[in-house]
Amino acid sequence: MHKENNLSKNQQIIFDLINKSSEPLKAYTILFNVQKKGIKAPPQVYRALDKLVQTGKIHKIESKNAFVACRSSSCEISKATAFSICESCEMVDEISDAKLTKYLSSFSDKKGTKYKRFNLEFFGLCKKCK
Amino acid sequence: MHKENNLSKNQQIIFDLINKSSEPLKAYTILFNVQKKGIKAPPQVYRALDKLVQTGKIHKIESKNAFVACRSSSCEISKATAFSICESCEMVDEISDAKLTKYLSSFSDKKGTKYKRFNLEFFGLCKKCK
DNA sequence: TTAAAATTTGTTATAATATAACACTATGTA
DNA sequence: TACATAGTGTTATATTATAACAAATTTTAA
Ligand SMILES: [Zn+2]
Ligand SMILES: [Zn+2]
Ligand SMILES: [Zn+2]
Ligand SMILES: [Zn+2]
């Protein structure tokens, strides 16, 4: 019986919470919300988050220290992430743009160096806030 | 006598330190290194950092919670920042690439929304580490 | 020049984010 | 089975960042 790509109990609880959320969740907000399910301490949350990030189920929004579920068809297990972030309402959307992904994935700097991963964060006002 | 775009004493001390550094500096590393100059507490460091970021003299590397001096001719007071980050030696370089800046500054998402600022971080191995 | 306004500083305390370390349990593999 | 790998629970602590308040300095403009 080989291992399916299944999540462990804590990983599933935390993924479900993030996946249902319409906004990025912070680690301690997550902790507070899963305490009734038996997850009581920060390391339990951070370990699950680490694993979910590694496997591309969620992403960390670095400028906010918060986490969102992956919604992209082109991020390719987190090698190529792009987000739009509203500076007014804090809403975050993952950008799925094959052309953008291709452009950045093939980018090479002035020394000709190519990179194996990127993370891009756009800031502005979302449709609702404009 | 109008205000030149000069830095205050603490701002200058902290900028000099970051500017001389060949690697990103963290806030508490900075604090430790400027204590002999009379800057004794975290708020003094964070206030100077905030101001230096606002004025585009330095940038925060979000994935590392660390700060580097601006070295770009095309970041336009931090509206368009791009960095390469070595996953082995932790080296960070600001990318100055007019074409990249132009491409991303004019990017609009599927709803036609444009953004006023972006931050891009590339990850890989630097020349030395390859 | 002088008084109000804005900025910067110094200081103490505390909030928010993240990891170390260790003992133990569950699951996958041979 | 037995070994390895991954996940869990727990306590303590490290790291990053801000709140709040008083004082000093610099800028602006009457
Ligand atoms: Zn994704
Ligand atoms: Zn908004
Ligand atoms: Zn710059
Ligand atoms: Zn390197």
Side-chain angles (χ1 to χ4, degrees):
Chain A
M1 188 75 84
H2 72 86
K3 166 138 176 149
E4 310 288 337
N5 228 354
N6 286 335
L7 301 179
S8 74
K9 177 168 140 282
N10 288 0
Q11 288 159 20
Q12 189 69 57
I13 290 168
I14 287 172
F15 175 72
D16 288 345
L17 183 71
I18 295 171
N19 195 37
K20 277 182 334 206
S21 174
S22 62
E23 54 182 24
L25 295 180
K26 299 190 152 231
Y28 276 73
T29 304
I30 293 167
L31 175 56
F32 180 81
N33 279 284
V34 297
Q35 279 182 329
K36 50 184 171 296
K37 304 219 170 180
I39 296 175
K40 291 180 183 150
Q44 295 174 288
V45 173
Y46 281 102
R47 284 189 296 226
L49 290 173
D50 286 350
K51 189 61 190 280
L52 291 166
V53 166
Q54 275 168 35
T55 57
K57 304 279 288 179
I58 66 171
H59 302 301
K60 183 173 189 180
I61 307 301
E62 294 287 358
S63 61
K64 301 172 80 72
N65 297 319
F67 299 85
V68 296
C70 177
R71 306 255 186 255
S72 171
S73 52
S74 61
C75 86
E76 316 243 352
I77 316 170
S78 308
K79 295 282 176 283
T81 46
F83 303 94
S84 64
I85 301 171
C86 177
E87 286 175 315
S88 171
C89 72
E90 312 281 284
M91 193 209 57
V92 171
D93 261 347
E94 186 166 5
I95 293 171
S96 249
D97 186 305
K99 217 173 132 195
L100 177 67
T101 298
K102 192 175 172 192
Y103 181 82
L104 292 176
S105 296
S106 64
F107 176 82
S108 69
D109 67 21
K110 277 163 180 162
K111 297 166 189 151
T113 307
K114 294 206 170 200
Y115 299 93
K116 68 169 194 234
R117 181 166 72 85
F118 70 81
N119 179 54
L120 171 58
E121 299 182 0
F122 283 106
F123 301 88
L125 292 176
C126 74
K127 213 136 205 173
K128 231 178 59 191
C129 291
K130 253 194 308 228
Chain B
M1 186 76 83
H2 72 85
K3 168 141 175 148
E4 311 287 337
N5 228 355
N6 287 335
L7 302 178
S8 74
K9 177 167 139 285
N10 288 0
Q11 288 159 20
Q12 188 69 58
I13 289 168
I14 286 172
F15 176 72
D16 287 346
L17 183 70
I18 295 171
N19 195 38
K20 276 183 331 205
S21 174
S22 63
E23 54 182 24
L25 295 180
K26 301 191 150 229
Y28 277 72
T29 304
I30 293 167
L31 175 57
F32 180 81
N33 279 284
V34 298
Q35 279 180 327
K36 49 185 172 294
K37 304 218 170 177
I39 296 175
K40 291 179 185 152
Q44 296 174 288
V45 172
Y46 281 101
R47 284 190 295 227
L49 290 173
D50 286 349
K51 190 62 190 280
L52 292 166
V53 166
Q54 275 168 34
T55 57
K57 304 278 289 178
I58 67 171
H59 303 300
K60 183 174 187 180
I61 307 301
E62 295 287 358
S63 61
K64 299 172 82 71
N65 298 317
F67 300 85
V68 296
C70 176
R71 307 254 186 257
S72 172
S73 51
S74 61
C75 84
E76 317 243 354
I77 316 170
S78 308
K79 295 282 175 284
T81 47
F83 304 94
S84 65
I85 301 171
C86 177
E87 286 176 316
S88 169
C89 72
E90 312 281 285
M91 193 209 58
V92 171
D93 262 347
E94 186 166 6
I95 293 171
S96 248
D97 185 306
K99 217 173 133 195
L100 177 68
T101 299
K102 192 175 171 191
Y103 181 82
L104 292 176
S105 297
S106 64
F107 176 83
S108 69
D109 66 21
K110 276 162 181 164
K111 297 166 189 152
T113 307
K114 294 206 171 201
Y115 299 92
K116 68 170 196 235
R117 182 166 71 84
F118 69 81
N119 180 54
L120 171 59
E121 299 183 359
F122 283 105
F123 301 87
L125 292 177
C126 74
K127 213 134 205 174
K128 231 177 59 191
C129 291
K130 254 193 311 227

